[in-house]
């Protein structure tokens, strides 16, 4: 019996900016479709699922049950996350921990996000450079951005009343 010697973890951004409507119908829905397509392509070995917003959570430990992951992904949303925000470092650390705890010497972390803040660049660079695993990033969104439509149909606003328009800054991720 052949079994792969590397695990894979899918890390999904569940910050409120994933509700932006600059891709149709919104970033979250598009990310979910891409995540399901990705796990269908990974038909070998174990796959885990991590979601993050203000903190990171293991949605599924490493498993060969791809059908279970296909059922879990559409249920993910920013509204179910216990803390709002965007903490990609926590998400990637959680993915690394899943692979480490399973004893994998090789692994691949697939990260689906709509961007990072400039203050995340240095900690992410350090985390990735010190890891023994490979990382791939799929960004969802546009540089122009769009308003964030909440589940009640209203638009996300800042404290001063202006509409929040998250924009994808690929330069941050390239760094």
């Amino acid at each position: 019996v052949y079994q792969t010697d590397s695990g894979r973890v899918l890390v999904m951004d569940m910050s409120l900016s994933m509700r932006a409507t600059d891709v149709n119908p919104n970033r979250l829905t598009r990310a979910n479709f891409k995540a399901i397509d990705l796990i269908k392509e990974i038909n070998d070995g174990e796959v885990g699922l991590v979601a993050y917003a203000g903190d990171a959570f293991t949605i599924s430990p490493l498993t060969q049950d791809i059908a279970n992951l296909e059922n879990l992904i559409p249920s993910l949303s920013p509204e179910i996350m216990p803390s709002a925000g965007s903490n990609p470092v926590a998400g990637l650390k959680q993915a690394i921990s899943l692979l480490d705890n399973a004893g994998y010497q090789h692994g691949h972390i697939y990260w689906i996000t709509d961007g990072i803040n400039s203050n995340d660049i240095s900690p992410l660079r350090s985390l990735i450079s010190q890891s023994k695993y490979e990382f791939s990033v799929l960004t969802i969104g546009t540089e122009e951005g769009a308003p964030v439509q909440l589940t009640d149909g209203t638009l996300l606003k800042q404290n001063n009343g202006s509409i929040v328009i998250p924009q994808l800054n690929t330069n941050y991720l390239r760094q």
Side-chain angles (χ1 to χ4, degrees), residues 6-9 62 94-109 133:
S6 69
R8 294 165 182 88
V9 178
L62 291 162
Q94 188 76 17
I96 290 168
S97 177
L98 276 176
L99 293 169
D100 284 346
N101 291 340
Y104 283 108
Q105 296 303 308
H106 306 285
H108 203 116
I109 296 171
Y133 305 115

Side-chain angles (χ1 to χ4, degrees), residues 22 104 110 119 158 165:
D22 51 348
Y104 283 108
Y110 300 96
N119 57 345
Q158 295 180 7
I165 300 181

Side-chain angles (χ1 to χ4, degrees), residues 3 52 88 153 163:
Q3 183 174 352
Y52 72 90
I163 295 173

Side-chain angles (χ1 to χ4, degrees), residues 146-166:
V148 174
Q149 186 172 14
L150 302 174
T151 55
D152 64 2
T154 62
L155 300 179
L156 181 64
K157 296 181 180 178
Q158 295 180 7
N159 291 338
N160 65 7
S162 63
I163 295 173
V164 174
I165 300 181

Side-chain angles (χ1 to χ4, degrees), residues 24-108:
N24 203 8
N26 61 36
R27 293 176 182 182
L28 177 63
T29 303
R30 185 70 61 91
N32 288 346
F33 289 148
K34 293 296 183 183
I36 290 170
D37 288 345
L38 178 63
I39 62 168
K40 285 180 179 178
E41 288 294 316
I42 304 171
N43 56 8
D44 185 25
E46 294 184 316
V47 182
L49 178 62
V50 170
Y52 72 90
D55 202 359
F57 301 92
T58 299
I59 306 301
S60 172
L62 291 162
T63 180
Q64 293 183 356
D65 186 1
I66 300 303
N68 186 42
L69 294 175
E70 288 179 38
N71 290 327
L72 288 171
I73 290 170
S75 67
L76 296 176
S77 71
E79 292 76 23
I80 68 167
M81 300 304 286
S83 58
S86 181
N87 189 346
V89 173
L92 296 180
K93 280 183 178 179
Q94 188 76 17
I96 290 168
S97 177
L98 276 176
L99 293 169
D100 284 346
N101 291 340
Y104 283 108
Q105 296 303 308
H106 306 285
H108 203 116

